[in-house]
């Protein structure tokens, strides 16, 4: 069953965020569980409000980051338990905008994944190469290293990896189907080598997924869903993506 996750990034004040959530909820009511699963990840500040709009819709709720600790002197950080308490059950970790913009290392991402899983959140761990790494033919090595460093030793019952080539995020430049397919196969091989059986894992593609390319992307072998940024900010377009397979 494809999993479609909307990453709202730093978008959404109370008014427009609740409107967007209500729009997604209205489209989802009665339509989820039948071959699709949908999650939205708003900013921390409106998680609770968004949750109130999603009640009864079947749409899941997540955060976009969390601290690697549960409590303490970590000014500005939000712990996995805090996220859980306001009603979210998912969290995106290791997004390239955090790896690049906030200097997050594989080791930090891994510590966050461990803390999130300990708190009972389902993690969506992002990996992906930069344009320079892509052009230099290093994409597979980079992704293998990120997987090795960012995923914990013990795999949880349910886990999600998102392949997001950095050069495709927010750029309108989607990776070609054969590039996506080859990378997803590579990720599957890496995970099998390390964890053996791959029960409970889904591998998403992210990077300029839109209403007009979602069907093609979601039909690629090894693609179990999509992580959607910009196109998740309009309920109509987001729902078209959610309905694409
Ligand atoms: C993302 O932020 O994870 C993403 C894939 O963004 P966009 O869909 O806008 O490229």
């Amino acid at each position: 069953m494809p999993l479609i996750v909307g990453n709202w990034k730093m978008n959404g004040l109370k008014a427009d965020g609740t409107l967007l959530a209500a729009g997604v909820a209205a489209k989802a009511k009665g339509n989820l569980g039948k071959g699709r699963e949908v999650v939205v990840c708003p900013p921390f500040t409106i998680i609770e409000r968004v949750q109130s709009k999603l009640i009864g819709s079947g749409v899941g709720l997540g955060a976009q980051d969390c601290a690697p600790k549960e409590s303490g002197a970590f000014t500005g950080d939000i712990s996995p338990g805090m996220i859980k308490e306001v009603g979210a059950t998912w969290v995106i970790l290791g997004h390239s905008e955090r790896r690049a913009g906030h200097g997050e290392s594989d080791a930090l991402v891994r510590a966050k994944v461990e803390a999130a899983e300990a708190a009972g959140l389902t993690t969506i761990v992002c990996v992906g190469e930069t344009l320079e790494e892509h052009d230099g033919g290093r994409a597979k090595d980079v992704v293998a290293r990120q997987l090795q460093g960012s995923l914990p030793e013990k795999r949880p019952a349910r886990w999600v990896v998102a392949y997001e080539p950095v050069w495709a995020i927010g750029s309108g430049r989607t990776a070609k189907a054969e590039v996506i397919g080859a990378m997803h196969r590579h990720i599957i091989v890496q995970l099998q080598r390390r964890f053996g059986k791959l029960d409970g894992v889904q591998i998403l593609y992210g990077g300029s997924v839109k209403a007009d390319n979602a069907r093609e992307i979601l039909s690629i072998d090894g693609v179990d869903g999509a992580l959607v940024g910009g196109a998740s900010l309009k309920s109509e377009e987001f729902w078209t993506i959610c309905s694409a397979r």
Side-chain angles (χ1 to χ4, degrees):
M1 165 151 89
L3 167 66
I4 312 295
V5 181
N7 173 14
W8 294 6
K9 312 195 185 194
M10 199 173 69
N11 296 293
L13 294 172
K14 286 188 244 177
D16 57 324
T18 45
L19 211 63
L20 175 56
V24 175
K27 297 198 179 302
K29 265 189 193 136
N31 285 313
L32 291 181
K34 299 182 210 147
R36 82 197 84 187
E37 184 173 16
V38 173
V39 174
V40 294
C41 300
F44 291 127
T45 47
I46 56 168
I47 286 180
E48 239 173 327
R49 277 175 187 266
V50 166
Q51 194 214 15
S52 70
K53 296 293 169 192
L54 297 182
I55 291 169
S57 69
V59 176
L61 182 59
Q64 301 167 20
D65 182 38
C66 72
K69 304 269 184 203
E70 255 320 314
S71 63
F74 303 104
T75 304
D77 284 345
I78 305 283
S79 77
M82 291 169 180
I83 291 168
K84 196 86 194 291
E85 191 186 32
V86 292
T89 57
W90 295 78
V91 63
I92 298 170
L93 293 169
H95 192 282
S96 62
E97 287 155 14
R98 299 222 48 99
R99 288 181 187 266
H102 297 262
E104 293 197 3
S105 64
D106 289 332
L108 178 58
V109 174
R110 181 185 186 144
K112 290 182 174 199
V113 174
E114 286 171 349
E117 281 166 3
L121 297 173
T122 304
T123 58
I124 300 163
V125 182
C126 303
V127 294
E129 80 285 358
T130 63
L131 185 58
E132 199 194 341
E133 290 160 344
H134 175 77
D135 290 347
R138 302 198 302 279
K140 286 188 174 169
D141 289 345
V142 168
V143 167
R145 192 206 69 221
Q146 289 175 332
L147 290 170
Q148 183 61 32
S150 308
L151 294 174
E153 285 313 316
K154 209 172 141 262
R155 69 189 174 97
R158 181 160 191 201
W159 46 307
V160 178
V161 171
Y163 168 55
E164 298 206 300
V166 180
W167 46 273
I169 296 177
S171 65
R173 209 182 137 190
T174 318
K176 290 202 171 73
E178 52 273 23
V179 172
I180 299 173
M183 186 58 87
H184 279 237
R185 278 195 299 281
H186 175 64
I187 291 172
I188 290 167
V189 169
Q190 300 302 310
L191 298 180
Q192 272 170 336
R193 265 192 207 144
R194 179 149 163 212
F195 297 107
K197 274 174 79 182
L198 287 188
D199 302 345
V201 68
Q202 281 167 295
I203 304 169
L204 313 185
Y205 169 78
S208 297
V209 177
K210 309 276 180 217
D212 60 7
N213 60 20
R215 185 175 295 279
E216 187 195 353
I217 291 170
L218 292 173
S219 65
I220 299 169
D221 243 18
V223 173
D224 301 316
L227 180 52
V228 184
S232 70
L233 296 174
K234 290 191 192 114
S235 56
E236 280 288 338
E237 177 159 25
F238 185 55
W239 193 254
T240 304
I241 295 170
C242 294
S243 317
R245 190 164 99 178

